[in-house]
Amino acid sequence: MTVLGEPGEVFLLTHAVVRSHLGLPTTSRVHAIDPVTLKTRFQSPPLPGGPMWPGGMAVLANGMLLVVYGRYAHLLNRQCELHKSQQLPVNAAYNSFVVLQNGLVVTKNLSSTAPAQLSVLNPDTLDFASATTTCPEPSIARLSAQGNTVYVMGITSVIRYHWNDAAQCLMQDVHWTCHYLKDAPQSYAWDMVLTAEDAWFMDNGAHNYRLSMLGAGLNDAPNRLHRVALHDSSSHQHWQVSGVKGGAITNPPLVDALRQIVVAYDSANRHLKAWRIIRHASHGTDVELQELWHLSQFGAASHMLLFADTGELCVNDYQRFNEQVVILDIETGQEKSRVRTGGLMQGVVFPSAGWQRDIYWSSMDRLTRIHIAPHV
């Protein structure tokens, strides 16, 4: 992934892959790159990681860079010099982190069998700010947060924890939980998107991604889009995305809160779909989804980007060994621009907006800068 610092600052997080296939401990590295040429200006030493899983990075309010990759958290300065490392409790990969409104950092191990564990870190020292919190079940998806509340996507249920200042720990909200897979054949969900009213996510996350998500689903059921009201978790709704068997995803939907539009996809079967979110006072906290557009044979799998001022949606469209990035009008699905990145693998990670109305597109084998070409 890339993250932005001060104007002109772009930081790139990379990690080792080959060593993981050999069963060896892996490392990550941070690069400060030129925002246009992508050439490295500074780079960190290899950062200890251990088990491999794409990690996460942020520029903190204290000006430091924070990386969570593998079993370690690292603090670096803006010249990518390492200041502090912290080994995390579980000998497993930790899949990124969230920063709470109070500045505390919460991270979680990726777990498919044992209950997941939440660790809270001081952003200045990486010391543990509280005892480890054990979740009720395993969790594969990344954490989400709003204010000082952390949302955990378990393999069957979604729950949340509030930071308690008096007790100096995370406390589960026992009045808010949703068993999203109750009586359903689908597999676990991935990351969730939070708005002021709702949590949105997709299920059927089990897949066998290698080069792409095409045909990678491991469950016969179609994948679904879910909504859970933040103020009342009993208000839970779901909708099929494509309705095609064997649907699968590895990322969250996108929500345009300004236009009240939600966009979801079925990566395994190549479908991309958008709905208008309709709220009726008579329906309580439930909503109605009104289909806006549906693109079949469209290979979306990565995190999507929204340029809210223009309503432009940035998404990938993958065909075999051919990664393309497409700009769509979020209201109509009309294609406005398309460019081939040169990547051979389908992106399933974290693009970001740049400084000059440009995009840094990350995939497993390539970083591409996409920008508006001047008129000739």
Side-chain angles (χ1 to χ4, degrees):
M1 65 167 60
T2 51
V3 299
L4 306 184
E6 295 295 327
E9 280 188 318
V10 181
F11 299 98
L12 170 68
L13 175 63
T14 63
H15 65 267
V17 174
V18 175
R19 288 178 60 87
S20 70
H21 296 314
L22 301 176
L24 300 173
T26 65
T27 59
S28 62
R29 193 187 290 267
V30 178
H31 310 253
I33 62 174
D34 185 281
V36 176
T37 68
L38 308 186
K39 291 182 178 179
T40 297
R41 291 173 166 174
F42 313 103
Q43 68 178 15
S44 73
L47 304 172
M52 192 281 284
W53 189 261
M57 175 172 60
V59 180
L60 299 177
N62 60 16
M64 301 293 284
L65 301 173
L66 173 63
V67 170
V68 171
Y69 170 80
R71 193 187 174 180
Y72 287 84
H74 306 282
L75 274 179
L76 303 94
N77 65 18
R78 305 289 261 273
Q79 288 72 48
C80 303
E81 296 168 327
L82 179 62
H83 275 220
K84 180 74 181 291
S85 296
Q86 176 68 268
Q87 186 182 72
L88 299 168
V90 182
N91 186 22
Y94 281 66
N95 52 348
S96 196
F97 58 92
V98 291
V99 181
L100 303 185
Q101 188 175 40
N102 60 20
L104 293 174
V105 173
V106 185
T107 184
K108 174 192 68 65
N109 62 307
L110 185 150
S111 171
S112 59
T113 54
Q117 297 188 30
L118 301 176
S119 293
V120 184
L121 303 175
N122 182 299
D124 299 316
T125 64
L126 295 188
D127 293 337
F128 292 103
S130 71
T132 298
T133 300
T134 301
C135 299
E137 64 179 34
S139 173
I140 294 173
R142 294 179 178 229
L143 298 171
S144 300
Q146 197 171 78
N148 291 323
T149 299
V150 180
Y151 289 78
V152 182
M153 179 64 69
I155 59 173
T156 66
S157 301
V158 57
I159 61 175
R160 69 185 182 188
Y161 293 85
H162 305 296
W163 176 258
N164 185 300
D165 268 329
Q168 288 291 289
C169 68
L170 291 170
M171 299 189 69
Q172 185 178 348
D173 184 343
V174 296
H175 302 293
W176 195 94
T177 185
C178 175
H179 191 350
Y180 66 87
L181 282 189
K182 185 178 182 180
D183 302 323
Q186 280 82 4
S187 61
Y188 58 84
W190 281 95
D191 316 350
M192 74 181 78
V193 173
L194 300 175
T195 67
E197 300 89 4
D198 303 301
W200 297 87
F201 53 92
M202 295 182 289
D203 63 18
N204 253 19
H207 57 79
N208 60 0
Y209 174 91
R210 292 295 182 270
L211 296 176
S212 79
M213 285 291 295
L214 305 185
L218 294 177
N219 190 295
D220 288 338
N223 74 306
R224 303 177 298 173
L225 170 69
H226 293 256
R227 184 204 68 90
V228 182
L230 297 188
H231 297 98
D232 179 6
S233 58
S234 67
S235 175
H236 167 224
Q237 298 170 273
H238 56 77
W239 301 264
Q240 290 188 358
V241 178
S242 70
V244 181
K245 292 183 177 181
I249 51 89
T250 188
N251 278 310
L254 181 140
V255 181
D256 183 341
L258 176 65
R259 297 171 182 82
Q260 288 293 288
I261 294 173
V262 59
V263 182
Y265 45 90
D266 173 358
S267 300
N269 294 308
R270 300 188 72 225
H271 286 263
L272 180 67
K273 193 172 182 179
W275 297 264
R276 181 84 64 187
I277 304 167
I278 309 294
R279 300 183 186 274
H280 299 287
S282 59
H283 292 183
T285 55
D286 282 354
V287 304
E288 175 189 347
L289 291 193
Q290 181 183 87
E291 184 176 328
L292 286 178
W293 48 267
H294 182 183
L295 302 178
S296 60
Q297 300 304 305
F298 199 103
S302 189
H303 280 241
M304 297 177 281
L305 293 176
L306 172 67
F307 292 88
D309 56 340
T310 61
E312 292 169 316
L313 175 69
C314 177
V315 61
N316 59 339
D317 181 11
Y318 183 85
Q319 301 176 26
R320 188 172 173 82
F321 305 130
N322 180 6
E323 171 94 318
Q324 298 184 32
V325 173
V326 184
I327 302 296
L328 302 173
D329 184 296
I330 197 168
E331 295 265 12
T332 65
Q334 179 182 357
E335 185 172 315
K336 301 180 71 173
S337 185
R338 175 184 292 262
V339 63
R340 182 172 180 172
T341 68
L344 302 180
M345 299 177 69
Q346 185 176 27
V348 291
V349 280
F350 314 102
S352 72
W355 290 109
Q356 303 177 42
R357 195 165 158 71
D358 51 356
I359 298 162
Y360 298 104
W361 191 267
S362 304
S363 66
M364 290 300 190
D365 66 336
R366 186 170 294 254
L367 174 67
T368 304
R369 176 177 177 259
I370 299 165
H371 61 98
I372 300 173
H375 291 291
V376 178

